[in-house]
Amino acid sequence: MPCLTNLKFLILAPVPVGGDIVHLEPIVGQLQVLRLCAIDGRSYRCNTSQIGLTVLLSFLHKAKKLLTLDLAWNRFSVSAMKSLVVCLKEMPQLESLGLSYTKLTDESAGILSEFLQGMPTSSIHTLYLRDNPGIGLESRAALNALSRRIKLY
């Protein structure tokens, strides 16, 4: 893939999990912006498949230079959110995280909030959470408390 050696941005929406997407893994390490929306071409009405989650986590383990990660239009179970947070901990340079239209549950939002509270102030400064009505009052309050150092959209 010599034509992709200087690629800094990759936007896939919807993301096909089979076949060709796996061939992109070698270039993920050089990306600064990664947008993977609607993994497995599913709508956000059903959880991202285990195969889709496996591909996503594989990508994230290799994406050490990412500044922006957008995972809009995916839906993550609580265990998937825990796995995602483990990957995010390995990305101290990440500045922007997009989780809009992901139908976060209150429990998932709590996991995300705990992770963000433990992050150093120099890392994530923008968080996109548009259209996540499943976030309860307590988790929303915890996320809003972060708004002094993180811009919430």
Side-chain angles (χ1 to χ4, degrees), residues 108-124:
S108 295
I111 292 166
L112 180 64
S113 176
E114 285 177 27
F115 160 69
L116 292 171
Q117 288 171 0
M119 290 285 293
T121 56
S122 61
S123 55
I124 295 176

Side-chain angles (χ1 to χ4, degrees), residues 1-7 20-28 30:
M1 274 189 270
C3 62
L4 299 177
T5 55
N6 293 322
L7 190 67
D20 294 339
I21 187 92
V22 178
H23 298 297
L24 295 173
E25 276 192 14
I27 65 160
V28 171
Q30 69 196 27

Side-chain angles (χ1 to χ4, degrees), residues 2 18 42 49 100 105-106 110 120 151:
R42 294 174 176 221
S49 71
S100 295
T105 64
D106 197 38
K151 293 178 188 171

Side-chain angles (χ1 to χ4, degrees), residues 14-69:
V15 179
V17 253
D20 294 339
I21 187 92
V22 178
H23 298 297
L24 295 173
E25 276 192 14
I27 65 160
V28 171
Q30 69 196 27
L31 296 175
Q32 293 177 352
V33 176
L34 180 60
R35 185 172 191 191
L36 299 174
C37 301
I39 294 174
D40 7 82
R42 294 174 176 221
S43 76
Y44 68 104
R45 289 181 185 88
C46 50
N47 285 347
T48 300
S49 71
Q50 188 59 45
I51 295 168
L53 183 63
T54 301
V55 170
L56 170 63
L57 296 176
S58 173
F59 269 40
L60 295 183
H61 281 296
K62 292 176 173 80
K64 301 301 179 194
K65 295 181 181 179
L66 272 187
L67 300 176
T68 299
L69 175 63

